[in-house]
Amino acid sequence: MELSDSITYKNGRQRKPVLYQDMRDGELKSSDVEAEEENLLRGSDSEDGHPKVRNGIRGELGNIMLLLCLYVLQGIPLGLAGSIPLIMQSKNVSYKDQAYFSFVFWPFSLKLLWAPLVDALYVQRFGRRKSWLVPTQYMLGLFMLCLSVTVDSLLESADPRGPNVTSLTAVFFMLAFLAATQDIAVDGWALTMLSRENVGYASTCNSVGQTAGYFLGNVLFLALESPDFCNKYLRMKPQDKGIVTLSDFLFFWGIVFMVSTTLVAVLKKENGRQQYKKAASEETQGVTETYRLLFSIVRMPTVFTFCSLLLTAKIGFSAADAVTGLKLIEAGVPKEQLALLAVPMVPLQILLPLVISKYTAGPRPLDVFYKAFPFRLLIGLEYALLVWWTPSVKHEDGFPVYYYAVVLLSYALHQVALYSMYVATMAFHAKVSDPVIGGTYMTLLNTVTNLGGNWPSTLALWLVDPLTSKECQGAIGQTCGTPEDVGLCVKEGGVCVTVLDGYYVESLVCVIIGLSWWIFLGKRMKRLQDESPAAWHCKP
């Protein structure tokens, strides 16, 4: 039941409605991108290399709107990918299948692996960023159009086991991979598309655009796809289906991607001042040097220790973050209602980083991380109690208002702890990163931070079913260990009853592991703040 530790898209956030997983990561600034920033700082904005007169933001409204639209488009496939686990859960897929699908959320945490290639390899005549942006968005549009034809069959598989999770995972993984690649290209283009005085608006376009795109692809889609929501709020006469289907939604956005990409390819030219004259051998050398630099950073003792701690710190939160939302849907909470709980959280998500940053701006930002850690673990236990309490408050008309108020309050408390840990971690990243290679350094640490949340969440989903104990009541000699056994139990007139839910086992074990980490490793993480700046800087 998490929004992820990444709070700002730029620094690694995957904004999501209440209760699911993340997939975003910070961007890589290669030496070429840093060169672009230097050009901006020198003020060479005109095509002939001479400074030109500024007109403020009005003179660049077109570029700002283009960036905003590109980031909105990027958020659409991410939002759709985030909605699939909720749809699958309503079709009673296994948690093992949910674990398979969770790999869809990994590309944004791994894009550091191919970001140097996107920065260095391009067709100069077409444009450095357009060389990747245009084909990537065309592929996204084609994927959506093709998927619109097949997605219903994948979700409504004739196989008795339900949706074709393997195919769904493969397709949406590719969508996420393409969206991550598009993100690298757009982030780089934003640095040169805007002038020096307006380049700060790039991060605003990033945050607002991706938030809006994710909202459209997730919250809005789930609401319009829900028959109950549409019949209750949008229709005069009830119908069996929502206003839109997943197939319709994919087809519409596939067309939007194709049309908008064509317009960008034909009408938008990259700035003439950014003509790069490096030979192909120099570009290749730049890529090689970037990978070598990343490896040298990881080998530093302080960085290696810090990365090891980051990769293990979130084990204690994995059950609460990855499984809670799915368990609430399993208990009967409508998926569209859970998604809509994200709306009142937006103001809190905007204000929290501003407030928390006041306490992480000093020399010891990880103190805030350490103090928030046990609080977040306790909220994990509270989530388990919330899941246990849910069936008892359900009635024929759904759930009472006070139930949703409790869920919203629980989520708000979770956000306070989550943002405290995230802002503290990002502040420490900025504090220790070597300024000579700050972009690469920061992105590496952001990537490790996100991976530290992804792999425990996948593992937590995977272990729910093995840790769950069921027995067949009403049919002597039958068991409920596998889907086939469940079918035989029902065929013999019995019913499978859960004796011990693996989610509660996981919740308890995760809290124990988390407390152990906090006691034995948390102080070690705090001590990293006492290391000298030289211990974090790359040796010349």
Side-chain angles (χ1 to χ4, degrees), residues 76 80 216-217 220-221 244-254:
I76 298 297
L80 286 170
L216 292 172
L220 182 64
F221 163 69
V244 300
T245 64
L246 181 56
S247 178
D248 298 333
F249 205 78
L250 284 165
F251 182 82
F252 171 79
W253 285 107

Side-chain angles (χ1 to χ4, degrees), residues 436-449:
V436 177
I437 49 169
T440 302
Y441 209 123
M442 282 281 287
T443 303
L444 173 64
L445 295 180
N446 291 342
T447 297
V448 174
T449 299

Side-chain angles (χ1 to χ4, degrees), residues 266-286:
V266 174
L267 300 179
K268 180 62 179 177
K269 294 183 179 180
E270 292 195 39
N271 293 338
R273 68 180 184 275
Q274 299 300 337
Q275 296 295 330
Y276 289 89
K277 301 179 180 179
K278 289 186 177 181
S281 59
E282 291 176 315
E283 297 290 7
T284 304
Q285 184 180 10

Side-chain angles (χ1 to χ4, degrees), residues 460-532:
L461 289 167
W462 192 286
L463 291 176
V464 171
D465 286 336
L467 293 175
T468 298
S469 177
K470 295 183 178 181
E471 65 179 23
C472 181
Q473 296 181 355
I476 299 175
Q478 299 297 325
T479 61
C480 298
T482 65
E484 291 76 14
D485 293 337
V486 173
L488 288 174
C489 174
V490 174
K491 188 176 180 180
E492 294 295 324
V495 59
C496 285
V497 178
T498 300
V499 178
L500 179 64
D501 195 323
Y503 167 69
Y504 299 118
V505 177
E506 276 193 4
S507 296
L508 181 59
V509 171
C510 282
V511 169
I512 293 173
I513 293 175
L515 283 174
S516 301
W517 190 97
W518 183 64
I519 293 171
F520 296 107
L521 297 178
K523 292 181 179 179
R524 185 176 182 183
M525 193 168 185
K526 284 177 62 179
R527 286 197 297 268
L528 289 175
Q529 299 173 116
D530 301 326
E531 296 284 347
S532 66

Side-chain angles (χ1 to χ4, degrees), residues 227-239 241 243:
D228 293 336
F229 182 87
C230 293
N231 291 337
K232 186 175 182 179
Y233 298 106
L234 303 176
R235 285 180 176 144
M236 299 297 292
K237 295 182 179 180
Q239 297 182 23
K241 292 185 177 181
I243 292 177

